[in-house]
């Protein structure tokens, strides 16, 4: 259950240092979840706690009495020894003197014994106006005559106001709407008195409850709502990524929708001038898919935005291939334009060792290097994601001869994981497909063999190291107290990637 929504992130003008890139993301909080959060928040702070054992009187000349201690009786109806004149109760129960009912009621005989709730419902009136209805259940007793359950609503209007780059919360009037009062008799001591007692109690409650609820509930409720919503509109990152050159999340606009609170979030990344910049044609708003059923919240962003962010995180590395690897030996021989020496499928260990060692100790230290200077790219195909990595395989020969290179493109099923507030991309080695774009012209007739060797080498020697590198180049996710992306599901739409947080 969510309680308070995060620590306050210091706001200010976004830095505009050279090389920064900004990306539009969307954070949505389910309206149903927000209802639960508000209910839990009000219950935690015992918002109706002050209403237990409170006497309610109907003395219109003095307003409604709200006292902290019992008993509360007028002097004219009390005896010094016992406080309340119990003979009045006896007369009422016997039906001897009905007018005394009004005296007893005004003397504090109607008492709120317990209060439950409030139950919270939200209604979106516009994209900037939300109506919060608090349904309160009160259990009242009339000194041994009646015990009642009373339901009365309180309504609070919440308005969002945009000031510069900050969304503020403003409250409309907190009031109890007229015309609704639910009274149910739970116990009755004397059926002869029920009708008259109910009529009198209803008249008192029509006057007393609006004032009583507004005075006790409204100040606390609006304070708690303001704290919750204000915190919700501010997002921060973990302390490990809070430096000026790290990623920054910034809520720019907030609006109420039928299903959720929708926040447009600007992610500022420390991209250098040479890194891929976001494309302007993808910054125009696109219709978001509906919030998944049973989801507390989600973080949605375009796949192009993720690719731009990935390019900011990616650092190029070269992988030196172990020359003792049999596939590497085959590639070295093939790229050296020599025929493959026939070897038995199960050659003796000494023969295989000598075959590999011949390449390791060859003059000029011939070897292989896998280079991937450009970051991978993710593409969406319906509800599946494909990771694409381009690179080259270079045969390093002695300095007096030129090197030989093979350009390749690797396609793999993209696997995403969300752990420790980080989104990570991984290639799936068993789902890879390799195509060759350029290679020595003399190998045209052996393209399939070359591709098979390159595919095997990439799958076994390159992808494990590449996945390890990508795991270090994770996207830091916004940290909001009460929301954890550690159990988030990565769902894919036609254009969007969504990190969906399921209900617990």
């Amino acid at each position: 259950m969510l309680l308070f929504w995060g620590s306050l992130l210091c706001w200010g003008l976004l830095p505009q240092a050279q090389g920064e890139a900004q990306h539009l993301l969307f954070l949505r909080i389910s309206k149903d979840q927000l209802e639960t959060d508000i209910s839990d928040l009000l219950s935690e702070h015992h918002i109706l706690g002050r209403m237990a054992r409170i006497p309610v009187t109907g003395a219109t000349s003095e307003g409604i009495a709200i006292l902290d201690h019992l008993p509360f009786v007028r002097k004219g109806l009390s005896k010094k020894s016992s406080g309340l004149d119990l003979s009045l109760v006896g007369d009422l129960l016997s039906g001897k003197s009905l007018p005394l009912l009004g005296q007893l009621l005004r003397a504090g005989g109607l008492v709120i014994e317990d209060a439950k709730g409030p139950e919270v419902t939200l209604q979106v009136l516009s994209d900037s106006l939300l109506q919060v209805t608090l349904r309160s259940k009160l259990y009242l007793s009339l000194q041994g005559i009646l015990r009642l359950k009373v339901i009365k609503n309180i309504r609070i209007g919440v308005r969002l106001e945009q000031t510069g780059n900050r969304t503020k919360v403003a409250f409309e009037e907190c009031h109890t709407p007229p015309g609704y009062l639910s009274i149910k008799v739970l116990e009755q001591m004397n059926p002869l008195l029920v009708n008259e007692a109910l009529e009198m109690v209803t008249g008192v409650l029509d006057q007393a409850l609006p004032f009583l609820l507004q005075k006790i509930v409204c100040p606390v409720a609006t304070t708690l709502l303001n704290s919750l919503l204000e915190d919700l509109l501010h997002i921060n990152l973990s302390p490990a990524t809070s430096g000026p050159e790290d990623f920054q999340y910034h809520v720019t606009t907030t609006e109420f929708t039928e299903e959720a609170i929708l926040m447009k979030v600007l992610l500022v990344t420390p991209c250098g001038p040479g890194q891929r910049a976001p494309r302007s044609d993808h910054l125009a708003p696109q219709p978001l898919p509906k919030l998944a059923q049973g989801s507390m919240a989600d973080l949605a962003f375009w796949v192009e935005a993720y690719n731009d962010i990935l390019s900011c995180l990616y650092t190029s590395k070269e992988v030196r291939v172990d020359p003792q690897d049999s596939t590497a030996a085959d590639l070295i021989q093939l790229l050296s334009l020599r025929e493959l020496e026939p070897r038995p499928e199960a050659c003796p260990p000494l023969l295989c060792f000598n075959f590999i060692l011949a390449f390791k100790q060859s003059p000029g230290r011939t070897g292989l290097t896998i280079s991937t200077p450009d970051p991978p790219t993710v593409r969406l195909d319906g509800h599946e994601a494909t990771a694409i990595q381009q690179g080259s395989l270079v045969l390093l020969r002695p300095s007096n001869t030129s090197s030989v290179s093979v350009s390749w493109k690797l396609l793999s099923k993209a696997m995403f994981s969300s752990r420790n507030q980080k989104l990570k991309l991984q290639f799936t080695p068993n789902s890879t497909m390799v195509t060759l774009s350029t290679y020595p012209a003399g190998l045209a007739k052996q393209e399939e063999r070359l591709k098979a060797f390159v595919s095997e080498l990439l799958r076994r020697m390159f992808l494990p190291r590449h996945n390890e590198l990508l795991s270090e180049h994770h996207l830091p996710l916004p940290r909001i107290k009460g929301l954890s992306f550690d159990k988030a599901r990565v769902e894919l739409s036609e254009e969007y990637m969504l990190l969906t947080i399921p209900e617990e």
Side-chain angles (χ1 to χ4, degrees):
M1 295 296 181
L2 304 183
L3 301 176
F4 281 98
W5 287 85
S7 304
L8 186 65
L9 176 67
C10 294
W11 285 66
L13 295 177
L14 287 175
Q16 300 297 324
Q18 184 181 10
E20 284 189 345
Q22 301 178 359
H23 308 272
L24 185 62
L25 288 75
F26 300 91
L27 177 64
R28 294 186 292 189
I29 310 297
S30 166
K31 189 180 73 172
D32 294 339
Q33 184 60 41
L34 187 60
E35 288 181 354
T36 302
D37 300 338
I38 296 174
S39 296
D40 292 345
L41 187 63
L42 300 184
S43 297
E44 178 193 6
H45 287 79
H46 307 288
I47 190 171
L48 295 177
R50 288 183 55 202
M51 303 198 72
R53 304 299 301 174
I54 289 180
V56 180
T57 69
T60 56
S61 61
E62 299 181 8
I64 307 302
I66 303 174
L67 302 182
D68 295 329
H69 305 285
L70 290 177
F72 169 60
V73 294
R74 291 176 180 275
K75 292 181 179 180
L77 296 176
S78 67
K79 293 182 178 181
K80 293 182 180 180
S81 60
S82 60
L84 181 65
D85 188 351
L86 298 180
S87 65
L88 293 174
V89 179
D91 291 341
L92 288 170
L93 293 177
S94 66
K96 187 182 297 184
S97 179
L98 290 179
L100 290 177
L101 180 63
Q103 295 182 19
L104 184 62
L105 187 62
R106 287 190 295 272
L110 185 62
V111 176
I112 298 176
E113 293 184 336
D114 198 5
K116 301 294 184 182
E119 300 172 358
V120 179
T121 56
L122 305 179
Q123 182 181 1
V124 176
L125 303 181
S126 70
D127 59 1
S128 62
L129 183 60
L130 182 71
Q131 180 175 275
V132 182
T133 300
L134 310 179
R135 181 183 177 95
S136 302
K137 295 180 181 179
L138 311 176
Y139 295 87
L140 288 78
S141 65
L142 178 60
Q143 299 292 355
I145 301 174
L146 291 172
R147 187 169 181 272
L148 311 168
K149 180 176 77 172
V150 179
I151 297 177
K152 187 66 176 174
N153 291 347
I154 303 174
R155 288 179 182 167
I156 306 174
V158 180
R159 184 179 297 279
L160 298 176
E161 296 180 348
Q162 194 70 25
T163 305
N165 59 1
R166 182 168 183 172
T167 303
K168 301 282 290 182
V169 177
F171 290 95
E172 306 287 330
E173 181 183 7
C174 177
H175 69 287
T176 55
Y180 177 81
L181 181 67
S182 172
I183 299 179
K184 181 180 180 180
V185 177
L186 300 178
E187 297 176 12
Q188 58 187 47
M189 299 298 295
N190 191 329
L192 298 177
L193 293 176
V194 170
N195 289 338
E196 182 152 346
L198 272 180
E199 183 179 349
M200 183 169 290
V201 166
T202 301
V204 170
L205 294 180
D206 275 336
Q207 299 178 38
L209 281 188
F211 179 86
L212 185 67
L213 291 173
Q214 287 173 214
K215 183 172 182 179
I216 291 182
V217 175
C218 283
V220 182
T222 52
T223 299
L224 293 175
L225 277 173
N226 182 73
S227 176
L228 185 149
L229 293 173
E230 285 282 350
D231 286 347
L232 180 62
L233 300 181
H234 300 77
I235 300 175
N236 64 10
L237 293 174
S238 60
T241 55
S242 58
E245 297 181 356
D246 291 310
F247 283 44
Q248 300 175 33
Y249 285 92
H250 183 84
V251 178
T252 58
T253 61
T254 305
E255 64 183 67
F256 298 119
T257 69
E258 183 179 352
E259 59 179 2
I261 293 182
L262 171 63
M263 286 170 279
K264 294 181 180 179
V265 180
L266 200 64
L267 173 58
V268 181
T269 63
C271 292
Q275 292 168 309
R276 184 167 53 194
R279 287 171 279 181
S280 59
D281 57 338
H282 291 291
L283 294 181
Q286 301 288 333
L288 280 172
K290 281 189 170 294
L291 187 69
Q293 188 173 3
S295 299
M296 294 168 49
D298 70 8
L299 182 67
F301 44 91
W302 290 298
V303 66
E304 288 85 354
Y306 178 77
N307 287 328
D308 293 334
I309 295 167
L310 186 60
S311 72
C312 298
L313 300 169
Y314 185 79
T315 55
S316 173
K317 284 190 177 181
E318 291 187 347
V319 176
R320 288 274 184 169
V321 178
D322 184 1
Q324 297 188 37
D325 183 85
S326 59
T327 304
D330 289 340
L331 273 169
I332 291 173
Q333 187 180 39
L334 186 62
L335 293 176
S336 298
L337 302 182
R338 292 197 293 249
E339 292 294 330
L340 284 173
E341 296 181 9
R343 287 179 293 149
E345 292 185 3
C347 61
L350 182 58
L351 179 60
C352 291
F353 174 77
N354 290 334
F355 178 82
I356 294 170
L357 191 63
F359 290 103
K360 182 178 180 181
Q361 296 180 344
S362 60
R365 296 181 182 178
T366 302
L368 287 174
T369 299
I370 300 174
S371 176
T372 53
D374 298 321
T377 301
V378 177
R379 291 181 183 173
L380 301 183
D381 182 12
H383 295 282
E384 293 185 352
T386 301
I388 304 169
Q389 179 67 64
Q390 295 184 344
S392 61
L393 182 70
V394 180
L395 176 65
L396 302 175
R397 299 202 291 191
S399 57
N400 59 345
T401 59
S402 60
S403 61
V404 178
S405 66
V406 177
S407 298
W408 49 265
K409 182 196 302 187
L410 185 147
L411 285 79
S412 167
K413 183 178 179 181
M415 297 295 293
F416 294 93
S417 62
S418 176
R419 292 291 183 272
N420 300 321
Q421 295 298 117
K422 302 167 185 175
L423 178 64
K424 299 181 180 180
L425 167 68
Q426 295 284 274
F427 285 70
T428 306
N430 295 330
S431 68
T432 59
M433 183 178 69
V434 173
T435 59
L436 305 181
S437 53
T438 61
Y439 52 86
L443 296 177
K445 294 182 179 180
Q446 302 189 60
E447 180 182 0
E448 290 303 318
R449 179 181 291 180
L450 177 63
K451 185 167 69 172
F453 289 156
V454 172
S455 299
E456 176 65 14
L457 192 69
L458 293 178
R459 185 183 65 83
R460 289 193 299 104
M461 298 194 64
F462 168 71
L463 278 184
R465 300 183 187 181
H466 195 54
N467 278 338
E468 185 178 350
L469 173 66
L470 290 176
S471 67
E472 299 173 359
H473 295 335
H474 48 258
L475 171 63
L477 299 172
R479 183 179 297 273
I480 305 175
K481 186 176 181 180
L483 267 182
S484 174
F485 283 98
D486 287 352
K487 297 181 180 179
R489 299 189 301 259
V490 179
E491 299 184 2
L492 305 174
S493 180
E494 292 296 330
E495 294 181 331
Y496 283 99
M497 297 177 60
L498 297 95
L499 267 68
T500 300
I501 302 175
E503 292 180 351
E504 296 180 353

